[in-house]
Amino acid sequence: MTTAHNTTPQYPFTAVVGMDDLRLALLLNAVSPAVGGVLVRGEKGTAKSTAVRALSALMPAVDVVGGCRFACAPDAPDPGCPDGPHETGAVEERPTRMVELPVGASEDRLVGALDIERALSEGVKAFEPGLLADAHRGILYVDEVNLLHDHLVDLLLDAAAMGASYVEREGVSVRHAARFLLVGTMNPEEGELRPQLLDRFGLTVEVAASREPDERVTVVRRRLAYDADPAGFAADWAAEEDALRGRIAAARELLPRVTLGDAALRQIAATCAAFEVDGMRADIVMARTATALAAWAGRTDVLEEDVRQAALLALPHRRRRNPFDAPGLDEDKLDQTLEEFGADEGTGGDDDPEPDGPDGGPDGGGPEGGGPEGGGQPPQDGGPEEAPLPPEAELPHQQEREAPQTPQASEKPEPESAPQGGAAGEKAAVGATEPFRTRRLDVPGLGEGADGRRSRARTAHGRTTGARRPQGALGKLHLAATVQAAAPHQRSRGRSGRGLVVRRDDLREAVREGREGNLVLFVVDASGSMAARKRMSAVKGAVLSLLLDAYQRRDKIGLITFRGTGAELALPPTSSVEAGAARLEQLPTGGRTPLSEGLLRAHEVLRVERMRDASRRPLLVVVTDGRATGGPEPVVRAARAARLLAGEGTASVVVDCEAGPVRLGLAGELARELQGTAITLDELRADSVSALVRTVQGNRKAA
């Protein structure tokens, strides 16, 4: 859908309070779309979507060829446009479109669809444009972009790289231009983006709700006023909107005259090298951003403060980091690099290279009305009052969960006494060892879950293994099977021309096999038998490594811990492996070993998840030494709980954490009851000799 047809006025951009980095990044893209878009990261309810949707009203209108569904420019129409060739005719002016891509959209909805039946029978290309065509020369907005399915991500990457969209179905193809400003919002608690897509966003910003009571009061007042009378509220802010729209137009006009000197370019190159970013895209984006900042400030020269601000916006998501590390830059290192490569080149002459707050920068060149100068902070049209709450529709429809800030894998918490109220014998949490690359743990058989990278499954993408009648809308056509089904009926259908007489019943779609993402449920023993400091650090390092593997394979993960007298669901099933890593890092140990309680809690969690998403198959990973000491008849109860899970066909792996010269082999006994496999911490490593996947599958077959 596009906001251009929404009858309710958008929340005004100038009424969004605070969020300086977010507003500045959006405005820079309005000034120079070549910057490459914005990725907005932040907790739910922080006006991310509100600000992004408000941007479209500030963008200049575009001229398009009358009647062209692909928004061709009248002065330079696309020679390959499916609606072309275009003759000289009426020119239409329309507002810049903001097209929203739903997370659950189909491939055909994104790129468009061909009428295969007409293509085969009549030889015509009957094409229905998709969202990429609607977004051409406009904005493509993806809310919760980190939840976008991989096959849609692949299509976005192709379109962003080539500036065009290709739709191909068994030799019949359509191509059209697709150049758009890509804007995405995401809640990091729900998982991270693929690196390839992350790099396609020119800028990234982090947002969080204000903790200042006065600002929060202003947020609520403005939101309530807008909800009560959207049109009246928009009218109250119309003058500020017009002023900001005019400033964008002036900056766009000034942009071609801005000079990026050799000294500033050297600072850009040195900064990208200092932070070890991959490739050259970061240098290019920084250069474009610094130029846009200068134009936004009303200057024709790029200053050091522009380079600094450009680095803070363009580099955090491009620096090399562990997937569990939050994006960010060391600002002291940034200032040191700019000073080192600026003084010799004559760009470091300012005594204070960093603007002092939103009013910092040179005295000259800033626009009227108290707007930002120098580095280019966005205008504070509403004074010091800050950002509104987003509309209710913005809140992500996810499970409510608490997700503490993710620590880095290498952090080692300081020793501390047992928490107040903790069980007797409880020990403080210890840090995890460095993660390592693990072997892949597969769920045996062939699933039909969401696209991922773990277990074999029938998916929309992958290698073709057969054909079947369409189940609903036609997916990928299997041409040979369709022709084979239609061929025997050509005479009875009165075929007389060249075209094949094809009917709906003849169509066959390809059956493809790829990989799916699974629900990986970790059940971690945190009892006293696991509490040796070095041992628990190694166990946490192993689980952290498995979490990293789950992140890379697009799994959902859950975490159950058991110790003392019961088991706790430390992390409900989620896509956020960062939250799982944080919970793991904080896990204390001590007490008895209620193994049966941990397994029974896993059974209950899997039962609920099976009702929510029956197609996502679970993999149970039990991390324990196999001891069972909690409650009455602990060994018997643990065996019964294990058999209950095995009876429901749950694929299981037991990571044996037993250490020392004398080993009881209890983890192996547990694995046999689960009809799974037991592996040691050493065997979990990808460079170990054991063929883990064959072992898992072999044990399941033998059982």
Side-chain angles (χ1 to χ4, degrees), residues 33 59-66 68 70-78 91-99 131-140 163 176-181 252:
M59 300 289 285
V62 295
D63 292 333
V64 300
V65 173
C68 177
F70 302 89
C72 281
D75 55 344
D78 180 10
V91 176
E92 297 179 2
E93 182 181 88
R94 73 177 189 198
T96 296
R97 287 179 175 174
M98 174 171 284
V99 178
L131 295 177
L132 290 180
D134 290 342
H136 179 49
R137 303 178 65 203
I139 303 169
L140 182 63
H176 65 82
R179 291 182 293 276
F180 47 81
L181 189 64
R252 278 196 168 199

Side-chain angles (χ1 to χ4, degrees), residues 30-317:
V31 171
S32 175
V35 166
V38 187
L39 175 65
V40 187
R41 298 165 47 93
E43 58 196 22
K44 53 186 177 291
T46 50
K48 300 187 300 292
S49 296
T50 299
V52 171
R53 292 188 177 106
L55 176 68
S56 60
L58 301 176
M59 300 289 285
V62 295
D63 292 333
V64 300
V65 173
C68 177
R69 298 175 296 168
F70 302 89
C72 281
D75 55 344
D78 180 10
C81 177
D83 284 355
H86 296 299
E87 298 180 358
T88 303
V91 176
E92 297 179 2
E93 182 181 88
R94 73 177 189 198
T96 296
R97 287 179 175 174
M98 174 171 284
V99 178
E100 296 192 35
L101 170 60
V103 170
S106 66
E107 180 177 334
D108 286 347
R109 183 73 186 97
L110 178 61
V111 300
L114 288 169
D115 189 330
I116 299 297
E117 187 172 352
R118 288 190 64 193
L120 285 175
S121 59
E122 303 175 27
V124 297
K125 296 180 181 179
F127 180 68
E128 182 66 26
L131 295 177
L132 290 180
D134 290 342
H136 179 49
R137 303 178 65 203
I139 303 169
L140 182 63
Y141 171 49
V142 190
D143 192 15
E144 302 294 346
V145 64
N146 51 325
L147 303 183
L148 202 62
H149 290 302
D150 276 358
H151 67 285
L152 298 181
V153 171
D154 293 338
L155 294 169
L156 273 182
L157 288 172
D158 289 343
M162 297 183 294
S165 175
Y166 292 84
V167 184
E168 298 190 8
R169 296 290 169 85
E170 305 298 341
V172 180
S173 63
V174 171
R175 174 214 164 273
H176 65 82
R179 291 182 293 276
F180 47 81
L181 189 64
L182 182 61
V183 180
T185 54
M186 60 176 281
N187 183 351
E189 295 176 11
E190 296 298 335
E192 287 289 348
L193 280 178
R194 283 171 52 182
Q196 297 92 334
L197 181 58
L198 188 63
D199 190 48
R200 284 291 172 184
F201 287 96
L203 311 178
T204 185
V205 292
E206 298 276 342
V207 297
S210 172
R211 299 296 183 253
E212 293 295 329
D214 290 343
E215 292 184 0
R216 296 176 74 95
V217 167
T218 304
V219 164
V220 176
R221 282 178 176 166
R222 291 190 181 182
R223 184 73 233 182
L224 293 177
Y226 172 77
D227 290 340
D229 183 9
F233 186 83
D236 291 341
W237 288 87
E240 288 82 355
E241 292 282 285
D242 288 341
L244 186 56
R245 195 176 293 111
R247 184 176 173 189
I248 292 173
R252 278 196 168 199
E253 184 178 349
L254 179 62
L255 184 65
R257 303 199 300 273
V258 175
T259 302
L260 179 65
D262 290 343
L265 191 55
R266 179 177 173 82
Q267 283 184 314
I268 290 172
T271 302
C272 292
F275 286 97
E276 299 181 339
V277 297
D278 293 326
M280 294 298 298
R281 184 172 286 118
D283 303 63
I284 297 171
V285 171
M286 268 193 70
R288 290 170 174 167
T289 305
T291 303
L293 281 162
W296 178 245
R299 289 185 272 98
T300 57
D301 293 320
V302 174
L303 304 181
E304 181 176 303
E305 62 208 56
D306 300 325
V307 176
R308 186 183 193 277
Q309 183 69 63
L312 293 174
L313 293 172
L315 296 189
H317 61 302

Side-chain angles (χ1 to χ4, degrees), residues 1 162 213 224 234-235 270-271 328 389 412 555 565 601 653 657 664:
M1 71 178 184
M162 297 183 294
L224 293 177
T271 302
L389 294 172
K412 302 295 188 295
D555 295 317
T565 59
R601 190 63 185 272
V653 175
C657 301
L664 302 178

